[in-house]
Each structure stands twice: as C-alpha cells, then as structure tokens.
Amino acid sequence: MNILVIHGPNLHLLGRRKPEIYGRTTLAALNASIKRHSAKLGFKTRIFQANGEGEIIDLLTANSAWADALVINPAAYTHYSYAIRDAIEALGLPAVEVHLSDISEREPFRRTSVTKPVCRAQFKGEGAFSYFKALDFCAGLK
Ligand code: DQA
C-alpha cells in the first residue's frame, strides 16, 4: 500500500515544543520511526509537514492519485478547519486521524475534532505509537 502521511502546523517544532506534552522526539526521528514501521508492513510512504491550511489541501490533492490511504495529524486545524475536513471528504481517500497527545484530556477547545467524522479512525495520546497504530489500521483496509 502507498500511505500518505501529513503532519500539520507546528509539528516541525517537535523536540522543543512543550516536551512535557509532545516529548523530546524530533520530527525527523518521528518520521524515521514511521518509515521503519511502514517498511515492516510493506508500505511505501510519502511524509510531509506543512504549516498552512491551503498547503495541506494542495499536498492532499497532489498525492491523492498515488496514495491508498492517508494518515493525518491536522494539529491545531483538527479543531476548526472545515476546509481540511472538506478536502479529506472530497478526495475520498480512507483517512486516519492521529494525535501525539490526548486531545480529549487537554484544553476544552482541543476536545472538538471537525476532521474526525471524515476519518475512519482516530488514534491519540500515545506519541509515536498513535502513528504506528494508524499504520496498522491502514493494513486492515487492504
Ligand atoms: C496535536 C494536538 C493539537 O491540539 C495541537 O494543536 C497540535 C498537536 C497532537 O498531535 O497532539 O499541534 O495534534
């Protein structure tokens, strides 16, 4: 399977951004572990990080013909981006939402996900393992 992985805004700061919440793993290290896990499952991956809403929609569109499934951490856009929600729905790729932290246990504004209803599953609160679980879930889509 071809898996498109998208990390949303501020995730380029992993490692130095609120380590008490997001840990000390950098985005490069997280991506390396996503690649390793994907390889074990026999997947090919394309991994991107983008800070802009439009940029994310453009990445989704540009890679939608290649990808069999999408693993996305929309980051703060999770909570309010109807544009990203609509793009996921419009492209019709099976999507899995991921969060490093447990958004249901943090500030009230993080408890809403406008993207979750257009995703097949959501994995949260387990750091890199949230991504691994999302990849395992994709394996079940075959
Ligand atoms: C996040 C949670 C979001 O609320 C936050 O805005 C992020 C990261 C997570 O992975 O835990 O940037 O998506």
mmCIF file of all heavy atoms in Angstrom, residues 70-101:
data_model
loop_
_atom_site.group_PDB
_atom_site.id
_atom_site.type_symbol
_atom_site.label_atom_id
_atom_site.label_comp_id
_atom_site.label_asym_id
_atom_site.label_seq_id
_atom_site.Cartn_x
_atom_site.Cartn_y
_atom_site.Cartn_z
ATOM 1 N N LEU A 70 -4.552 7.697 3.851
ATOM 2 C CA LEU A 70 -3.972 8.916 4.429
ATOM 3 C C LEU A 70 -3.898 8.781 5.941
ATOM 4 O O LEU A 70 -4.883 8.401 6.583
ATOM 5 C CB LEU A 70 -4.885 10.106 4.075
ATOM 6 C CG LEU A 70 -4.669 11.406 4.838
ATOM 7 C CD1 LEU A 70 -3.338 12.051 4.442
ATOM 8 C CD2 LEU A 70 -5.832 12.378 4.561
ATOM 9 N N VAL A 71 -2.728 9.083 6.493
ATOM 10 C CA VAL A 71 -2.578 9.213 7.943
ATOM 11 C C VAL A 71 -2.284 10.682 8.192
ATOM 12 O O VAL A 71 -1.288 11.209 7.689
ATOM 13 C CB VAL A 71 -1.423 8.317 8.461
ATOM 14 C CG1 VAL A 71 -1.114 8.629 9.922
ATOM 15 C CG2 VAL A 71 -1.786 6.843 8.293
ATOM 16 N N ILE A 72 -3.156 11.342 8.921
ATOM 17 C CA ILE A 72 -3.008 12.797 9.071
ATOM 18 C C ILE A 72 -3.106 13.241 10.524
ATOM 19 O O ILE A 72 -4.011 12.808 11.247
ATOM 20 C CB ILE A 72 -4.032 13.564 8.184
ATOM 21 C CG1 ILE A 72 -3.783 15.075 8.244
ATOM 22 C CG2 ILE A 72 -5.475 13.193 8.508
ATOM 23 C CD1 ILE A 72 -4.471 15.874 7.150
ATOM 24 N N ASN A 73 -2.130 14.048 10.921
ATOM 25 C CA ASN A 73 -2.228 14.776 12.185
ATOM 26 C C ASN A 73 -2.477 16.237 11.796
ATOM 27 O O ASN A 73 -1.536 16.971 11.501
ATOM 28 C CB ASN A 73 -0.934 14.643 12.996
ATOM 29 C CG ASN A 73 -1.053 15.352 14.342
ATOM 30 O OD1 ASN A 73 -1.965 16.143 14.554
ATOM 31 N ND2 ASN A 73 -0.118 15.078 15.242
ATOM 32 N N PRO A 74 -3.734 16.653 11.779
ATOM 33 C CA PRO A 74 -4.024 18.022 11.331
ATOM 34 C C PRO A 74 -3.611 19.085 12.357
ATOM 35 O O PRO A 74 -3.794 20.272 12.114
ATOM 36 C CB PRO A 74 -5.542 18.017 11.127
ATOM 37 C CG PRO A 74 -5.982 16.584 11.221
ATOM 38 C CD PRO A 74 -4.971 15.900 12.067
ATOM 39 N N ALA A 75 -3.086 18.627 13.514
ATOM 40 C CA ALA A 75 -2.625 19.535 14.581
ATOM 41 C C ALA A 75 -3.760 20.506 14.936
ATOM 42 O O ALA A 75 -4.912 20.086 15.036
ATOM 43 C CB ALA A 75 -1.324 20.204 14.173
ATOM 44 N N ALA A 76 -3.449 21.790 15.082
ATOM 45 C CA ALA A 76 -4.500 22.716 15.533
ATOM 46 C C ALA A 76 -5.665 22.802 14.548
ATOM 47 O O ALA A 76 -6.805 23.093 14.942
ATOM 48 C CB ALA A 76 -3.910 24.098 15.777
ATOM 49 N N TYR A 77 -5.411 22.518 13.264
ATOM 50 C CA TYR A 77 -6.516 22.562 12.280
ATOM 51 C C TYR A 77 -7.599 21.534 12.583
ATOM 52 O O TYR A 77 -8.738 21.688 12.140
ATOM 53 C CB TYR A 77 -5.986 22.335 10.865
ATOM 54 C CG TYR A 77 -5.180 23.482 10.311
ATOM 55 C CD1 TYR A 77 -3.983 23.263 9.658
ATOM 56 C CD2 TYR A 77 -5.635 24.792 10.430
ATOM 57 C CE1 TYR A 77 -3.231 24.314 9.146
ATOM 58 C CE2 TYR A 77 -4.895 25.851 9.923
ATOM 59 C CZ TYR A 77 -3.697 25.605 9.283
ATOM 60 O OH TYR A 77 -2.969 26.648 8.783
ATOM 61 N N THR A 78 -7.220 20.496 13.307
ATOM 62 C CA THR A 78 -8.199 19.496 13.737
ATOM 63 C C THR A 78 -9.458 20.152 14.297
ATOM 64 O O THR A 78 -10.572 19.703 14.059
ATOM 65 C CB THR A 78 -7.596 18.652 14.897
ATOM 66 O OG1 THR A 78 -6.368 18.094 14.472
ATOM 67 C CG2 THR A 78 -8.546 17.584 15.381
ATOM 68 N N HIS A 79 -9.212 21.221 15.059
ATOM 69 C CA HIS A 79 -10.279 21.761 15.892
ATOM 70 C C HIS A 79 -11.190 22.748 15.164
ATOM 71 O O HIS A 79 -12.252 23.086 15.669
ATOM 72 C CB HIS A 79 -9.656 22.412 17.143
ATOM 73 C CG HIS A 79 -8.606 21.545 17.776
ATOM 74 N ND1 HIS A 79 -8.893 20.263 18.220
ATOM 75 C CD2 HIS A 79 -7.272 21.725 17.985
ATOM 76 C CE1 HIS A 79 -7.769 19.714 18.700
ATOM 77 N NE2 HIS A 79 -6.775 20.572 18.564
ATOM 78 N N TYR A 80 -10.742 23.204 13.969
ATOM 79 C CA TYR A 80 -11.596 24.220 13.311
ATOM 80 C C TYR A 80 -11.516 24.283 11.792
ATOM 81 O O TYR A 80 -12.213 25.095 11.191
ATOM 82 C CB TYR A 80 -11.299 25.625 13.886
ATOM 83 C CG TYR A 80 -9.903 26.116 13.591
ATOM 84 C CD1 TYR A 80 -9.630 26.908 12.480
ATOM 85 C CD2 TYR A 80 -8.845 25.766 14.417
ATOM 86 C CE1 TYR A 80 -8.354 27.345 12.199
ATOM 87 C CE2 TYR A 80 -7.550 26.196 14.147
ATOM 88 C CZ TYR A 80 -7.314 26.985 13.037
ATOM 89 O OH TYR A 80 -6.047 27.403 12.764
ATOM 90 N N SER A 81 -10.714 23.431 11.160
ATOM 91 C CA SER A 81 -10.578 23.609 9.702
ATOM 92 C C SER A 81 -11.616 22.803 8.914
ATOM 93 O O SER A 81 -11.410 21.629 8.582
ATOM 94 C CB SER A 81 -9.181 23.237 9.206
ATOM 95 O OG SER A 81 -9.173 23.358 7.786
ATOM 96 N N TYR A 82 -12.700 23.489 8.587
ATOM 97 C CA TYR A 82 -13.693 22.839 7.721
ATOM 98 C C TYR A 82 -13.119 22.639 6.319
ATOM 99 O O TYR A 82 -13.553 21.760 5.591
ATOM 100 C CB TYR A 82 -14.976 23.680 7.663
ATOM 101 C CG TYR A 82 -15.664 23.769 9.002
ATOM 102 C CD1 TYR A 82 -15.804 24.990 9.653
ATOM 103 C CD2 TYR A 82 -16.151 22.623 9.625
ATOM 104 C CE1 TYR A 82 -16.415 25.067 10.896
ATOM 105 C CE2 TYR A 82 -16.761 22.697 10.869
ATOM 106 C CZ TYR A 82 -16.883 23.915 11.501
ATOM 107 O OH TYR A 82 -17.479 23.976 12.726
ATOM 108 N N ALA A 83 -12.139 23.484 5.953
ATOM 109 C CA ALA A 83 -11.530 23.350 4.619
ATOM 110 C C ALA A 83 -10.768 22.019 4.518
ATOM 111 O O ALA A 83 -10.881 21.307 3.504
ATOM 112 C CB ALA A 83 -10.604 24.532 4.354
ATOM 113 N N ILE A 84 -9.995 21.678 5.548
ATOM 114 C CA ILE A 84 -9.273 20.396 5.509
ATOM 115 C C ILE A 84 -10.261 19.239 5.632
ATOM 116 O O ILE A 84 -10.142 18.225 4.950
ATOM 117 C CB ILE A 84 -8.167 20.365 6.593
ATOM 118 C CG1 ILE A 84 -7.063 21.359 6.186
ATOM 119 C CG2 ILE A 84 -7.599 18.955 6.765
ATOM 120 C CD1 ILE A 84 -5.952 21.537 7.197
ATOM 121 N N ARG A 85 -11.239 19.412 6.483
ATOM 122 C CA ARG A 85 -12.292 18.389 6.598
ATOM 123 C C ARG A 85 -12.912 18.102 5.218
ATOM 124 O O ARG A 85 -13.053 16.947 4.808
ATOM 125 C CB ARG A 85 -13.373 18.889 7.565
ATOM 126 C CG ARG A 85 -14.506 17.910 7.776
ATOM 127 C CD ARG A 85 -15.827 18.642 7.943
ATOM 128 N NE ARG A 85 -16.922 17.691 8.009
ATOM 129 C CZ ARG A 85 -17.501 17.119 6.958
ATOM 130 N NH1 ARG A 85 -17.084 17.395 5.725
ATOM 131 N NH2 ARG A 85 -18.478 16.270 7.113
ATOM 132 N N ASP A 86 -13.281 19.174 4.517
ATOM 133 C CA ASP A 86 -13.928 19.023 3.209
ATOM 134 C C ASP A 86 -12.985 18.386 2.192
ATOM 135 O O ASP A 86 -13.421 17.600 1.352
ATOM 136 C CB ASP A 86 -14.392 20.386 2.677
ATOM 137 C CG ASP A 86 -15.683 20.862 3.327
ATOM 138 O OD1 ASP A 86 -16.264 20.100 4.134
ATOM 139 O OD2 ASP A 86 -16.114 21.995 3.031
ATOM 140 N N ALA A 87 -11.700 18.740 2.258
ATOM 141 C CA ALA A 87 -10.725 18.165 1.311
ATOM 142 C C ALA A 87 -10.607 16.662 1.532
ATOM 143 O O ALA A 87 -10.586 15.882 0.568
ATOM 144 C CB ALA A 87 -9.365 18.843 1.471
ATOM 145 N N ILE A 88 -10.537 16.237 2.786
ATOM 146 C CA ILE A 88 -10.428 14.797 3.077
ATOM 147 C C ILE A 88 -11.666 14.086 2.522
ATOM 148 O O ILE A 88 -11.578 13.054 1.858
ATOM 149 C CB ILE A 88 -10.277 14.544 4.601
ATOM 150 C CG1 ILE A 88 -8.950 15.110 5.109
ATOM 151 C CG2 ILE A 88 -10.387 13.048 4.919
ATOM 152 C CD1 ILE A 88 -8.826 15.136 6.636
ATOM 153 N N GLU A 89 -12.811 14.674 2.776
ATOM 154 C CA GLU A 89 -14.059 14.066 2.304
ATOM 155 C C GLU A 89 -14.112 14.044 0.775
ATOM 156 O O GLU A 89 -14.457 13.031 0.161
ATOM 157 C CB GLU A 89 -15.249 14.849 2.861
ATOM 158 C CG GLU A 89 -16.584 14.213 2.547
ATOM 159 C CD GLU A 89 -17.730 14.995 3.161
ATOM 160 O OE1 GLU A 89 -17.752 16.242 3.046
ATOM 161 O OE2 GLU A 89 -18.601 14.357 3.769
ATOM 162 N N ALA A 90 -13.737 15.151 0.155
ATOM 163 C CA ALA A 90 -13.853 15.268 -1.302
ATOM 164 C C ALA A 90 -12.930 14.291 -2.020
ATOM 165 O O ALA A 90 -13.291 13.741 -3.060
ATOM 166 C CB ALA A 90 -13.523 16.697 -1.737
ATOM 167 N N LEU A 91 -11.731 14.081 -1.474
ATOM 168 C CA LEU A 91 -10.762 13.220 -2.162
ATOM 169 C C LEU A 91 -11.110 11.740 -1.988
ATOM 170 O O LEU A 91 -10.683 10.910 -2.793
ATOM 171 C CB LEU A 91 -9.341 13.520 -1.678
ATOM 172 C CG LEU A 91 -8.853 14.903 -2.138
ATOM 173 C CD1 LEU A 91 -7.578 15.295 -1.406
ATOM 174 C CD2 LEU A 91 -8.643 14.940 -3.647
ATOM 175 N N GLY A 92 -11.838 11.428 -0.941
ATOM 176 C CA GLY A 92 -12.350 10.066 -0.777
ATOM 177 C C GLY A 92 -11.309 9.028 -0.381
ATOM 178 O O GLY A 92 -11.603 7.837 -0.391
ATOM 179 N N LEU A 93 -10.096 9.470 -0.022
ATOM 180 C CA LEU A 93 -9.077 8.510 0.444
ATOM 181 C C LEU A 93 -9.446 8.051 1.843
ATOM 182 O O LEU A 93 -9.793 8.895 2.672
ATOM 183 C CB LEU A 93 -7.736 9.234 0.617
ATOM 184 C CG LEU A 93 -6.729 9.302 -0.484
ATOM 185 C CD1 LEU A 93 -5.495 10.041 0.027
ATOM 186 C CD2 LEU A 93 -6.359 7.899 -0.926
ATOM 187 N N PRO A 94 -9.321 6.765 2.147
ATOM 188 C CA PRO A 94 -9.535 6.373 3.541
ATOM 189 C C PRO A 94 -8.509 7.094 4.424
ATOM 190 O O PRO A 94 -7.312 7.051 4.148
ATOM 191 C CB PRO A 94 -9.314 4.865 3.559
ATOM 192 C CG PRO A 94 -8.981 4.453 2.184
ATOM 193 C CD PRO A 94 -8.977 5.640 1.290
ATOM 194 N N ALA A 95 -8.994 7.775 5.436
ATOM 195 C CA ALA A 95 -8.118 8.618 6.252
ATOM 196 C C ALA A 95 -8.155 8.182 7.711
ATOM 197 O O ALA A 95 -9.187 7.721 8.212
ATOM 198 C CB ALA A 95 -8.563 10.071 6.145
ATOM 199 N N VAL A 96 -7.023 8.327 8.361
ATOM 200 C CA VAL A 96 -6.924 8.030 9.794
ATOM 201 C C VAL A 96 -6.337 9.261 10.476
ATOM 202 O O VAL A 96 -5.309 9.781 10.045
ATOM 203 C CB VAL A 96 -6.024 6.798 10.052
ATOM 204 C CG1 VAL A 96 -6.051 6.429 11.526
ATOM 205 C CG2 VAL A 96 -6.457 5.616 9.200
ATOM 206 N N GLU A 97 -7.012 9.727 11.514
ATOM 207 C CA GLU A 97 -6.540 10.911 12.245
ATOM 208 C C GLU A 97 -5.664 10.491 13.415
ATOM 209 O O GLU A 97 -5.981 9.520 14.110
ATOM 210 C CB GLU A 97 -7.755 11.694 12.751
ATOM 211 C CG GLU A 97 -7.380 12.965 13.485
ATOM 212 C CD GLU A 97 -8.614 13.758 13.901
ATOM 213 O OE1 GLU A 97 -9.501 14.001 13.055
ATOM 214 O OE2 GLU A 97 -8.684 14.126 15.090
ATOM 215 N N VAL A 98 -4.601 11.241 13.606
ATOM 216 C CA VAL A 98 -3.616 10.903 14.635
ATOM 217 C C VAL A 98 -3.288 12.123 15.474
ATOM 218 O O VAL A 98 -3.205 13.242 14.946
ATOM 219 C CB VAL A 98 -2.322 10.415 13.926
ATOM 220 C CG1 VAL A 98 -1.149 10.400 14.866
ATOM 221 C CG2 VAL A 98 -2.524 9.046 13.322
ATOM 222 N N HIS A 99 -3.102 11.897 16.767
ATOM 223 C CA HIS A 99 -2.569 12.936 17.652
ATOM 224 C C HIS A 99 -1.556 12.337 18.604
ATOM 225 O O HIS A 99 -1.786 11.242 19.144
ATOM 226 C CB HIS A 99 -3.697 13.601 18.457
ATOM 227 C CG HIS A 99 -4.708 14.241 17.574
ATOM 228 N ND1 HIS A 99 -4.478 15.444 16.945
ATOM 229 C CD2 HIS A 99 -5.924 13.818 17.155
ATOM 230 C CE1 HIS A 99 -5.515 15.729 16.184
ATOM 231 N NE2 HIS A 99 -6.411 14.756 16.283
ATOM 232 N N LEU A 100 -0.486 13.069 18.809
ATOM 233 C CA LEU A 100 0.523 12.632 19.772
ATOM 234 C C LEU A 100 -0.054 12.673 21.185
ATOM 235 O O LEU A 100 0.143 11.752 21.978
ATOM 236 C CB LEU A 100 1.748 13.559 19.699
ATOM 237 C CG LEU A 100 2.514 13.503 18.371
ATOM 238 C CD1 LEU A 100 3.286 14.785 18.148
ATOM 239 C CD2 LEU A 100 3.443 12.299 18.357
ATOM 240 N N SER A 101 -0.744 13.766 21.498
ATOM 241 C CA SER A 101 -1.301 13.948 22.845
ATOM 242 C C SER A 101 -2.756 13.473 22.865
ATOM 243 O O SER A 101 -3.360 13.232 21.815
ATOM 244 C CB SER A 101 -1.219 15.430 23.238
ATOM 245 O OG SER A 101 -2.070 16.203 22.408
#
